[in-house]
Amino acid sequence: MITETDIALADGRTLHVYDTGHARDTELTVYWHAGTPQIGQPPADALQRAGVRWIGHDRPSYGGSTALPGRTVASVADDVRQVVDALGVQRFALLGSSGGGPPALACAALLPERVLGVACLAGIAPADADGLDWFAGMAPSGVAELGAALRGADVLGAHLAATRDDAPDWLSPKDIEMFTGPFGPWLIHTSTQGMANGPDGFVGDDIATTRPWGFDPAQIEAPVLLCNGDEDRCVPLAHAEWLARRCPHSELRPCPGDSHISIFGHAGEAVDWLAKLG
């Protein structure tokens, strides 16, 4: 069962936090970082594992969390530090997907004394990544969206408004099947609620992702697992390959036949991998 609460931060903001709470046999705490544009509720029901405590939070402007103008990817690290301090958690692992990959990596880089390891499902690489053709392999809608983000928040906001009702051109048949499986109710709920307050959270994520992150993945000393489908047209496999080369202690798992949503079929493997680090 997930408990929801609001935590007051030192700068006066509020973060809406999700927590499955203490269990007598808790062996691992996993901090979940949601994709864009999802609220931060962890996929605990679909990823039931004995001994795992799940924590997550709505990023600024999503759900019940207040805005943080000018946030960077690195901004999340201090937010997470304050959350785990408030919940009495000392050491934890990280799991992020898609747009939640960079925040998960940020915590690993900037909270090294607290993080056991990090796993990313289809996590995007920095826009300024040396030697990476960042847009190569992306569907046209992704190129248009992130290209708008590179031109600024106003341009991106107008683009999102104009394309609000467009069907994603990167969805594969395998992706669509996920909405009728164990992750389906969670995917629909978190994505719908992610846009319930309007596009500000979405805009904040994309702007942060396309600007300097505020840290280098090469700083990460903890083990890193990178899972990416070889048919992903939202975040192509080349992004995971670049991150694997950049992170000193990484393991790359290409997933043949998988794409952006169907990668959640490997989420259980990622949690099991994290559990072995404890």
Side-chain angles (χ1 to χ4, degrees):
M1 179 178 178
I2 296 178
T3 298
E4 301 184 35
T5 188
D6 291 332
I7 290 180
L9 303 180
D11 62 4
R13 290 184 295 121
T14 296
L15 281 187
H16 191 70
V17 173
Y18 305 84
D19 182 11
T20 59
H22 291 285
R24 190 168 57 185
D25 60 347
T26 294
E27 298 170 1
L28 175 71
T29 296
V30 178
Y31 206 115
W32 165 249
H33 291 274
T36 301
Q38 293 176 290
I39 59 170
Q41 178 183 322
D45 290 341
L47 281 175
Q48 293 184 14
R49 290 292 189 280
V52 175
R53 177 183 184 179
W54 289 92
I55 299 173
H57 73 266
D58 296 336
R59 284 194 293 274
S61 298
Y62 283 108
S65 293
T66 49
L68 178 58
R71 65 179 165 103
T72 65
V73 173
S75 301
V76 72
D78 194 55
D79 287 357
V80 166
R81 180 189 60 77
Q82 293 186 65
V83 170
V84 293
D85 283 351
L87 298 177
V89 174
Q90 293 302 311
R91 297 271 281 165
F92 56 94
L94 301 150
L95 178 61
S97 73
S98 190
L105 294 172
C107 293
L110 301 173
L111 302 173
E113 72 286 356
R114 309 291 287 271
V115 172
L116 293 164
V118 55
C120 292
L121 306 172
I124 196 165
D128 59 358
D130 291 340
L132 174 65
D133 186 347
W134 202 62
F135 288 112
M138 285 189 191
S141 65
V143 174
E145 174 195 322
L146 295 172
L150 286 167
R151 298 197 297 275
D154 290 344
V155 176
L156 176 59
H159 172 78
L160 293 177
T163 58
R164 179 175 52 199
D165 297 324
D166 293 355
D169 57 1
W170 47 264
L171 277 174
S172 72
K174 256 184 116 169
D175 286 336
I176 294 169
E177 289 176 9
M178 294 297 291
F179 288 93
T180 59
F183 288 93
W186 170 81
L187 285 165
I188 294 167
H189 173 72
T190 55
S191 299
T192 301
Q193 291 304 304
M195 293 299 289
N197 293 346
D200 287 353
F202 197 151
V203 170
D205 278 357
D206 276 5
I207 295 298
T209 297
T210 54
R211 299 296 186 269
W213 284 6
F215 71 97
D216 186 335
Q219 296 172 237
I220 300 173
E221 289 300 321
V224 177
L225 176 66
L226 300 157
C227 301
N228 218 108
D230 65 354
E231 296 186 9
D232 192 334
R233 297 180 67 232
C234 186
V235 178
L237 176 61
H239 287 242
E241 292 172 335
W242 186 91
L243 287 166
R245 293 192 299 270
R246 193 71 176 176
C247 298
H249 310 289
S250 65
E251 178 182 338
L252 174 65
R253 288 190 187 176
C255 301
D258 278 303
S259 45
H260 199 63
I261 305 298
S262 70
I263 197 67
F264 279 106
H266 299 274
E269 298 169 23
V271 176
D272 293 342
W273 183 88
L274 291 170
K276 292 176 183 177
L277 303 177

